[in-house]
Amino acid sequence: MTGHGVGSAPLRSGHVEVEIRSVNHRYLEMRTRLPPELPEHASLVEDIARRRLVRGRVEINVRTEGESFDDAVLDVTRARVAFEQLVALRDALSPREPVPLSLLASVPELFISRGTPERGIVRNALTRATEAACDGVSAMRAREGDALRQDFEGRLSRLAELVAEIEARGPTVVAAMRKKLGERIEKLLAGSPIGVESGRLELEVVIFADRSDVTEECTRFRSHADQFRSMVKADDPVTGRRLDFLLQEMARESNTIGQKSSDADLARLVVELKTEIERLREQVQNVL
């Protein structure tokens, strides 16, 4: 599920800001960017986000603003020693080769900060900012969840209407088949001295009615749909996997109903039933 949140916490005379963007993804995928002065705190930020957000493709950006960290200054003593060593190396290898000062840029830790805040203070500020950003993401996800709930309920109502239409269509289909069989027999036996027993015709109609009966499938379909609706309306959190399982079962029942349907109107209803199930499955992918 998508979400966006920004959290800020004071740090010295400035502040640290954490911005989190999340889009739907089946698993938790995280990318974190921290400023040069905070690289060692990446695991702290990611651990907090991992506990709170659970799933999604998450992008975390951390910034510091104001005078949170003093500007780094040159360690003159270290620079002088490094340059003297470079000159000595030049004298030993190539006495006439110039030694540019730009070589000092490659010397590690040549610049030092005169006033970096204590580690505990930085971690506390980062924790507060990250928690606030996660709260923002969760709030946006909750609003999206309410919209999904309404969409689910509307589609479940349509599914109930379709199943009711399918059940109501059953007796009509049997009656139409009885009439069709009778007309075919009369046409085949027209002018023939051979008659047909009414009991035989009724037996064929009963066999057809039994094979095309979808009462059990519709009952199970309603049961799955009712469970789905109960989960969606419940105050307790529900996982997308449980909802997806129920949709798989509804799809299974709709397939069976389709296999038993020999009527064009019934086939149309089954196609619409499957379409609504597929739309629900697409939306369920957005549920954690």
Side-chain angles (χ1 to χ4, degrees):
M1 298 176 70
T2 57
H4 177 263
V6 178
S8 179
L11 186 59
R12 280 192 170 179
S13 58
H15 68 274
V16 60
E17 182 179 274
V18 177
E19 180 183 18
I20 299 179
R21 299 173 182 267
S22 173
V23 297
N24 188 51
H25 191 60
R26 186 174 183 180
Y27 304 105
L28 180 61
E29 206 174 89
M30 196 171 298
R31 183 174 64 177
T32 307
R33 296 177 179 174
L34 283 87
E37 60 269 23
L38 297 175
E40 72 275 17
H41 299 288
S43 60
L44 170 68
V45 174
E46 290 180 357
D47 288 344
I48 296 173
R50 200 177 300 277
R51 290 196 306 268
R52 294 287 305 275
L53 303 182
V54 182
R55 203 187 83 179
R57 183 174 283 112
V58 179
E59 182 178 318
I60 305 174
N61 290 306
V62 181
R63 295 181 291 270
T64 58
E65 297 185 7
E67 298 180 358
S68 302
F69 294 81
D70 290 340
D71 293 335
V73 296
L74 177 66
D75 186 340
V76 178
T77 302
R78 184 179 180 85
R80 181 179 289 111
V81 171
F83 187 75
E84 290 175 353
Q85 291 177 348
L86 289 171
V87 170
L89 181 63
R90 186 276 315 270
D91 293 342
L93 300 178
S94 181
R96 295 182 180 180
E97 189 72 23
V99 181
L101 288 175
S102 58
L103 286 176
L104 293 176
S106 61
V107 179
E109 299 180 4
L110 195 59
F111 290 87
I112 60 174
S113 175
R114 294 178 298 182
T116 301
E118 293 182 5
R119 181 180 177 85
I121 296 176
V122 175
R123 290 179 66 85
N124 181 60
L126 276 173
T127 299
R128 293 164 58 188
T130 305
E131 291 283 357
C134 288
D135 289 341
V137 173
S138 298
M140 185 173 288
R141 283 180 168 182
R143 289 192 293 270
E144 183 179 345
D146 289 337
L148 284 175
R149 186 199 303 268
Q150 296 177 15
D151 183 76
F152 287 158
E153 291 177 354
R155 297 193 185 282
L156 287 169
S157 297
R158 180 55 184 156
L159 288 177
E161 293 173 359
L162 290 170
V163 171
E165 290 183 44
I166 288 172
E167 283 188 315
R169 182 68 183 163
T172 304
V173 173
V174 173
M177 178 56 68
R178 187 184 190 285
K179 180 180 179 181
K180 188 175 182 179
L181 284 174
E183 292 174 349
R184 285 185 176 180
I185 291 174
E186 289 180 1
K187 184 176 180 180
L188 289 172
L189 298 180
S192 173
I194 302 175
V196 61
E197 298 180 4
S198 61
R200 180 61 182 176
L201 176 60
E202 295 301 326
L203 178 61
E204 293 297 329
V205 173
V206 169
I207 293 174
F208 171 80
D210 182 64
R211 290 177 177 175
S212 61
D213 182 52
V214 294
T215 302
E216 292 184 10
E217 289 79 7
C218 290
T219 299
R220 288 193 293 268
F221 191 100
R222 282 200 182 91
S223 174
H224 300 322
D226 289 342
Q227 292 181 63
F228 191 103
R229 182 179 286 104
S230 298
M231 289 181 184
V232 169
K233 289 185 176 181
D235 294 331
D236 297 332
V238 58
T239 63
R241 289 183 179 180
R242 296 176 64 187
L243 297 177
D244 189 61
F245 170 77
L246 289 172
L247 289 175
Q248 289 179 13
E249 294 304 305
M250 282 189 265
R252 193 193 309 277
E253 301 301 338
S254 66
N255 286 334
T256 305
I257 294 172
Q259 292 170 0
K260 290 185 174 183
S261 301
S262 58
D263 175 71
D265 289 335
L266 268 178
R268 176 185 58 79
L269 292 171
V270 171
V271 169
E272 188 173 351
L273 191 71
K274 292 181 177 180
T275 300
E276 289 297 327
I277 293 173
E278 187 59 31
R279 288 171 179 168
L280 277 171
R281 292 188 70 173
E282 291 176 359
Q283 290 287 41
V284 162
Q285 303 307 311
N286 295 316
V287 180
L288 296 177

